[in-house]
Amino acid sequence: MNSNISPYRLRILNRTLQVLMTRRNEGVLPDSSWTWIICIGNMMASFSSIGMYRCFGVFYPAVMNEFGVKYAQVSLVSGLYSGCMSFGSLFLVLVKWCGLRKVGMTASFLFSLSLFAASQSSSIIMFVIFCGACTGFCNGIAVNLVFLTISVYFKNHRSKAAGLITSAVSVGVLVGAPAMSALIGEFGWRGAMLITSAMTLHACVGIALYRPVIIEKPEKSSDKVIEIRQDIETHVKKPRKFPARLRSIFDYTLFSRLVYLLTYASSMGYWGSMVGISFLIIPLGMESLGLDRTAASVLLTVQSCGDLSGRVMSGMIGDCRGLSRALFLGTMTALGALTTYAITFTQSFTLTCVTAFVLGMTYAPYGSLYVVLYTEVFGVGQMTNAISYEGFFSTLLTLPVTYILGLLIDTTGEVRFAYYVCGGLMFFTSACVFGIYIHQWTSDRSESIPR
């Protein structure tokens, strides 16, 4: 039996490779079939990057045991990750010159390389630098770029794409923690982190699917011109004056309108509350409610299940005609604030789990659809700067908020007051989003009135 490939099959294989190589730089229309392939790639990137990183707390006991340090020193990993992630978000403007694919693949590869270096750490300082600072900076670029593509590649199905992409983060939390625990038991924390660094390279594969976007741009006449763009910014001449050049890189004029300030304020309030509850209060501070660490981990899993359900639900109904996303998000964040207060009054563990599930469902819609809301407020042309600033300010805010919540738990000896602070932040987010809805309603009404 001849095992050689026939010349006919070789020609078919060569032709397929030629088509793939030539079409990688061809443009795609928004909401086309290829954009859904890009959505699958973004789900892979979200799962491999921020989804799995949120489970890295399972490495801490083994790292503390090997280096002989306390929890306070290991907790610097999360602090440096959040701080450097905020500064990495500012470098999202590199998309204007290098394009989405090059920036995303470079940041994802450096993220994986940082985890590889962390697995070879010889001291706690080296581990904190590579696993905290370096990964945070790279992820600040990669994660915000993945969210940016929602407004680039989708027009009529942005909510569905946002729900699918962000749900991969929740799946990463549900799957990553037990998988990493099993790997640590089998290969030790160094081997487990080495395997995890290789798994995060899947983000590069997902981002490699990006292709330029075809935009139908009408001219002054009635004809339309098809323009293929490598990024989402329109091409303008290079400004000569330094202030104008600086404005083209960092468009600080976005902060001159109240609706923009309301949008940024809503994000800061939401992320401060969400990070405080998910990363601090439930995992560490539930003893004051009579729950041990095992029960707290179960509660966090239940909340993650509610978060996943909420993201899928918001993606399904977010693109419905006649639905105001601002009104929907404002209502859900208000319900989330009420649920945050309600969880402190539950008397049984079963009722606490039910409340935690509802908490995840009510918090999830804003985290899933805030990119769509930003697109409505800022427009596609300004999304690069808008997402960059949002990642910087909201992530930077989580540093003092988590520290204040920790001090509040230590001072009062219970977690209830920390929940009250997070509920207040969610009410603040709801008020800002309702303000955006009022602005959109008055603008639409003024445009509909004939002059």
Side-chain angles (χ1 to χ4, degrees):
M1 181 177 179
N2 189 8
S3 60
N4 295 329
I5 301 177
S6 63
Y8 174 75
R9 292 183 178 179
L10 282 176
R11 287 196 299 268
I12 295 296
L13 180 61
N14 291 332
R15 179 60 180 169
T16 303
L17 292 175
Q18 290 176 3
V19 170
L20 291 176
M21 293 299 294
T22 54
R23 288 189 177 182
R24 64 175 182 171
N25 290 323
E26 290 184 3
V28 294
L29 288 169
D31 298 317
S32 62
S33 58
W34 188 263
T35 59
W36 291 106
I37 297 177
I38 293 175
C39 180
I40 296 175
N42 281 335
M43 292 175 65
M44 186 186 304
S46 298
F47 175 89
S48 303
S49 56
I50 192 170
M52 298 189 67
Y53 192 88
R54 284 178 59 178
C55 308
F56 268 38
V58 299
F59 287 98
Y60 290 173
V63 174
M64 292 165 59
N65 186 36
E66 178 168 338
F67 294 120
V69 296
K70 296 181 179 180
Y71 182 80
Q73 293 173 278
V74 180
S75 64
L76 290 174
V77 174
S78 300
L80 281 176
Y81 175 83
S82 299
C84 293
M85 190 176 181
S86 63
F87 286 100
S89 303
L90 293 178
F91 285 81
L92 192 63
V93 294
L94 293 174
V95 171
K96 296 181 178 180
W97 296 280
C98 303
L100 294 167
R101 186 166 51 196
K102 292 180 180 178
V103 174
M105 291 186 67
T106 302
S108 298
F109 176 76
L110 292 177
F111 173 75
S112 178
L113 189 63
S114 300
L115 292 180
F116 170 79
S119 68
Q120 308 301 316
S121 300
S122 58
S123 64
I124 187 62
I125 297 177
M126 185 176 177
F127 180 81
V128 168
I129 290 175
F130 284 110
C131 191
C134 295
T135 56
F137 181 81
C138 298
N139 233 8
I141 301 174
V143 172
N144 286 285
L145 183 138
V146 168
F147 292 155
L148 175 64
T149 57
I150 296 173
S151 61
V152 178
Y153 289 106
F154 295 92
K155 184 178 180 181
N156 299 322
H157 302 285
R158 284 174 180 152
S159 298
K160 297 182 181 67
L164 290 173
I165 292 171
T166 56
S167 64
V169 178
S170 302
V171 175
V173 177
L174 294 174
V175 176
M180 290 179 187
S181 298
L183 289 174
I184 293 173
E186 184 70 22
F187 303 102
W189 76 267
R190 293 184 184 273
M193 184 165 288
L194 186 63
I195 295 173
T196 304
S197 68
M199 293 173 64
T200 56
L201 283 174
H202 288 88
C204 294
V205 179
I207 295 175
L209 298 172
Y210 292 174
R211 286 165 61 178
V213 187
I214 298 178
I215 305 295
E216 292 186 351
K217 185 178 180 181
E219 288 187 337
K220 293 182 179 179
S221 61
S222 59
D223 298 332
K224 290 185 177 180
V225 179
I226 303 297
E227 178 190 3
I228 300 180
R229 304 191 304 183
Q230 292 290 341
D231 50 57
I232 65 170
E233 300 293 333
T234 56
H235 179 69
V236 295
K237 293 183 178 180
K238 192 175 181 179
R240 296 181 179 179
K241 296 182 179 181
F242 181 75
R245 183 179 304 175
L246 184 65
R247 192 183 305 114
S248 66
I249 301 175
F250 299 104
D251 190 4
Y252 50 85
T253 59
L254 294 176
F255 300 96
S256 60
R257 295 178 59 186
L258 178 61
V259 64
Y260 295 157
L261 297 178
L262 287 174
T263 309
Y264 288 120
S266 65
S267 291
M268 288 188 284
Y270 170 79
W271 292 114
S273 178
M274 191 277 292
V275 171
I277 288 180
S278 301
F279 287 86
L280 180 68
I281 297 177
I282 292 181
L284 302 178
M286 297 304 294
E287 289 88 349
S288 63
L289 294 181
L291 302 178
D292 56 10
R293 290 297 177 87
T294 303
S297 63
V298 172
L299 200 64
L300 186 61
T301 303
V302 171
Q303 187 212 7
S304 299
C305 293
D307 182 81
L308 177 60
S309 303
R311 292 180 189 275
V312 174
M313 177 267 296
S314 60
M316 292 176 61
I317 69 175
D319 289 322
C320 295
R321 293 184 178 180
L323 175 68
S324 173
R325 296 186 184 92
L327 182 61
F328 171 67
L329 294 180
T331 303
M332 294 303 294
T333 49
L335 292 176
L338 294 175
T339 310
T340 305
Y341 291 123
I343 199 173
T344 62
F345 297 100
T346 54
Q347 300 297 326
S348 64
F349 181 68
T350 303
L351 188 58
T352 304
C353 288
V354 173
T355 310
F357 184 86
V358 177
L359 186 71
M361 283 199 66
T362 52
Y363 271 56
Y366 187 94
S368 178
L369 300 184
Y370 82 95
V371 178
V372 184
L373 181 65
Y374 269 57
T375 307
E376 293 180 355
V377 175
F378 296 97
V380 178
Q382 294 179 311
M383 279 297 290
T384 301
N385 292 99
I387 293 294
S388 177
Y389 299 153
E390 189 274 336
F392 175 75
F393 290 111
S394 60
T395 310
L396 196 63
L397 181 72
T398 60
L399 293 176
V401 167
T402 52
Y403 180 71
I404 291 172
L405 291 176
L407 287 179
L408 194 59
I409 294 174
D410 292 336
T411 303
T412 60
E414 61 177 28
V415 78
R416 300 180 189 274
F417 293 101
Y419 267 116
Y420 298 156
V421 173
C422 291
L425 289 174
M426 284 301 289
F427 270 126
F428 174 75
T429 299
S430 178
C432 292
V433 177
F434 277 128
I436 297 171
Y437 167 72
I438 294 173
H439 177 271
Q440 292 177 340
W441 180 73
T442 54
S443 299
D444 296 338
R445 186 178 181 182
S446 62
E447 291 178 358
S448 62
I449 297 176
R451 297 180 180 179

